[in-house]
Amino acid sequence: MERTIRVLSPVGDTQVKTLAAPPLPSLQGKTVGFIDNRKTNFEHLVGLLARTLKEQHGVAEVIHRQKAHAAVGATPELLAEMARTCDLVITGSGD
Amino acid sequence: MSPEVRLASKTVDLPDTPEAIDAYFVEHKWSDGLPVVPPTEARVRDMLAAIRRDPQESLGDMPPGWRAATIEKLAINAVMAGCLSSYFPVIVAAVEAMLDPAFNLYGVQATTHPVAPLLIVGGDYARTIGMHWGSGCFGPGHRANATIGRALRMILLNVGGAWPGHGDMATQGQPSKYSYAVAENEPDTPWEPLRVALGFRPEDSTVTVFGAEGPHNVNDHVSTTAAGILTNCCSVMTTLGSNVGWYMSQSQALLVLGPEHAATIARSGFSRRDVQEFCFNHARMALRELRLGGMYGIHEWPAWMNAIQDEDVRLPIVLSPEDILVMVAGGPGKHSAVVPNCTFSRTVTRRITI
């Protein structure tokens, strides 16, 4: 019989069970937020996407906010504002 | 550690051959690509016995996967990396330091920059466990340096979840991401050790984490004065493509002087503070040049720097002399090293406790 060895998993466990929000059935009349990482050209991408979302998908409003800089996370205050005011938030990297 | 203490990790039974074990660990992305020591319960318990901490105590959630950095998970990864149990207190202190918000581990793990945490171990405990600070100190050949650095990387991969291209978005990375740990050459340091300069007591043993690029060599076989050697150091420190200097509130640079360069500098009457002041005042670049690359345009500078109009004004790479850290490491030879930081992480030091 083959000799076996029992090893322990080195992978950490997370307390967070769900990281993805459920999808929205429609964008009609919704408010979409963008968290801009401040890297070059993201502001152009936001402008283009905002126009497309409004003209082609019926989005009512687009909110554009920036992080302090690309290498830090969004502040709790910014996240709270976006959660309060937006139906959908897109974080992005123009690089 | 008492055998009654419960270990919480899942287990898997594998054929007991090196080939089968390594194949499983590589397939499941549980390793850095090199062979590992199988983390059996007995080996993990031996590792845990080196420190009086509850195995289920979490030091915090480790980004970017935000998984709990429990003492048990650190021990499993330390076993895999080939650590002796006497190294484990250094690893625990290093993880505590990396999880300090000032270190910005989320940025360090996820960035496109090739940053790796450099561990600098100082004090009696470095000597006790055989950390190497002499010739080739950043290179291979010494188990404590090699496996402590490797264990940290294993933890960043397996607990943090920073897999290359998925979580760790480094464009190219760097070899220092395999292992990056060194001790301070205190016998050849003409000044107080780094940890004392950072506010710790001489009798403390500490680990300092520094979000670093690999060492950039400073070759100076010519200079016989502090000014000469440090002018060479500042030249290496100040390159347009460097990350240092763009997010000024967090930019730091580490100067690792070889013992011969350090002795020459000290003979010129320079204190550690003099070295820092000299570098702060000479490691500068003209605004005209800074505009040509790096992160110009998306930089984060204080108002006084943003207000500069004269294109020829030479601007510093850090905000104060204290942001240039100075230590001595290495053996004989006319070489030193500049270690730039990633511009968005501050160095953090923790006392090593058993």
Side-chain angles (χ1 to χ4, degrees), chain B:
Chain B
M1 191 185 73
S2 155
E4 303 86 59
V5 173
R6 186 182 62 89
L7 299 183
S9 295
K10 291 176 183 152
T11 61
V12 58
D13 294 331
L14 301 172
D16 191 8
T17 67
E19 293 81 4
I21 294 165
D22 285 331
Y24 186 90
F25 276 68
V26 168
E27 182 189 345
H28 288 79
K29 296 183 175 174
W30 283 7
S31 89
D32 55 2
L34 298 169
V36 300
V37 175
T40 61
E41 181 172 333
R43 290 187 179 120
V44 172
R45 286 188 180 279
D46 282 347
M47 191 64 66
L48 289 166
I51 195 163
R52 285 191 291 273
R53 304 279 284 261
D54 178 352
Q56 302 320 315
E57 175 191 351
S58 175
L59 304 183
D61 290 343
M62 183 173 282
W66 303 108
R67 301 171 185 156
T70 63
I71 298 290
E72 176 178 327
K73 290 298 180 187
L74 306 191
I76 294 170
N77 283 279
V79 168
M80 288 167 53
C83 290
L84 298 177
S85 59
S86 58
Y87 306 167
F88 194 47
V90 177
I91 292 162
V92 172
V95 172
E96 286 176 332
M98 288 196 305
L99 290 172
D100 186 309
F103 190 70
N104 186 15
L105 184 58
Y106 180 65
V108 167
Q109 287 270 66
T111 180
T112 50
H113 179 260
V115 54
L118 165 63
L119 272 63
I120 305 161
V121 185
D124 284 344
Y125 204 71
R127 280 186 285 277
T128 300
I129 63 173
M131 289 284 299
H132 181 60
W133 58 69
S135 296
C137 57
F138 284 119
H142 296 272
R143 184 173 183 177
N145 299 43
T147 62
I148 288 173
R150 188 187 183 203
L152 256 290
R153 176 52 51 188
M154 294 280 206
I155 290 163
L156 294 170
L157 287 165
N158 288 326
V159 180
W163 193 260
H166 181 80
D168 174 356
M169 302 310 291
T171 305
Q172 296 178 317
Q174 58 168 321
S176 302
K177 285 199 168 199
Y178 278 102
S179 180
Y180 204 11
V182 72
E184 197 176 0
N185 184 342
E186 295 183 26
D188 289 326
T189 301
W191 312 291
E192 75 279 19
L194 177 64
R195 68 184 183 287
V196 175
L198 293 172
F200 289 81
R201 297 171 303 183
E203 60 269 31
D204 290 331
S205 290
T206 61
V207 59
T208 295
V209 293
F210 184 78
E213 294 182 8
H216 298 216
N217 185 53
V218 182
N219 175 0
D220 188 355
H221 282 69
V222 173
S223 299
T224 56
T225 63
I229 291 169
L230 293 175
T231 298
N232 276 269
C233 294
C234 290
S235 169
V236 173
M237 242 178 242
T238 319
T239 56
L240 182 59
S242 174
N243 252 48
V244 179
W246 297 113
Y247 299 154
M248 279 298 263
S249 60
Q250 290 159 309
S251 282
Q252 292 179 307
L254 170 66
L255 178 58
V256 185
L257 293 167
E260 292 185 17
H261 280 170
T264 300
I265 290 167
R267 273 200 302 275
S268 292
F270 272 46
S271 65
R272 173 192 293 280
R273 178 71 191 187
D274 291 323
V275 174
Q276 292 174 306
E277 294 275 5
F278 188 99
C279 293
F280 178 68
N281 284 293
H282 288 80
R284 295 188 174 215
M285 190 174 284
L287 179 58
R288 178 190 308 285
E289 199 169 352
L290 287 167
R291 287 187 192 280
L292 299 177
M295 297 174 78
Y296 192 81
I298 55 172
H299 54 277
E300 175 245 314
W301 286 355
W304 73 264
M305 282 177 65
N306 286 326
I308 300 286
Q309 300 287 315
D310 183 343
E311 295 277 317
D312 293 321
V313 168
R314 298 176 74 242
L315 297 173
I317 60 168
V318 293
L319 279 184
S320 75
E322 292 83 3
D323 289 325
I324 296 174
L325 285 75
V326 180
M327 63 178 277
V328 176
K334 302 291 185 189
H335 294 269
S336 291
V338 167
V339 183
N341 90 337
C342 55
T343 200
F344 48 77
S345 167
R346 302 284 297 181
T347 193
V348 177
T349 302
R350 285 286 182 277
R351 199 173 286 113
I352 298 167
T353 55
I354 299 171

Side-chain angles (χ1 to χ4, degrees), chain A residues 8-89:
Chain A
L8 279 67
S9 165
V11 177
D13 298 313
T14 176
Q15 308 303 315
V16 181
K17 298 300 179 200
T18 303
L19 287 172
L24 293 172
S26 164
L27 292 175
Q28 191 69 39
K30 302 295 186 190
T31 299
V32 176
F34 283 93
I35 298 180
D36 176 345
N37 72 344
R38 282 189 183 252
K39 282 223 173 169
T40 307
N41 296 325
F42 190 67
E43 71 277 22
H44 303 303
L45 194 62
V46 171
L48 185 65
L49 286 170
R51 202 165 62 243
T52 304
L53 285 167
K54 285 181 177 173
E55 291 175 359
Q56 297 181 22
H57 299 279
V59 165
E61 190 180 359
V62 170
I63 295 175
H64 177 197
R65 296 285 183 271
Q66 292 185 312
K67 297 197 299 179
H69 61 69
V72 294
T75 62
E77 294 76 19
L78 174 58
L79 293 177
E81 181 202 346
M82 298 302 256
R84 193 173 58 249
T85 56
C86 300
D87 299 296
L88 167 73
V89 177

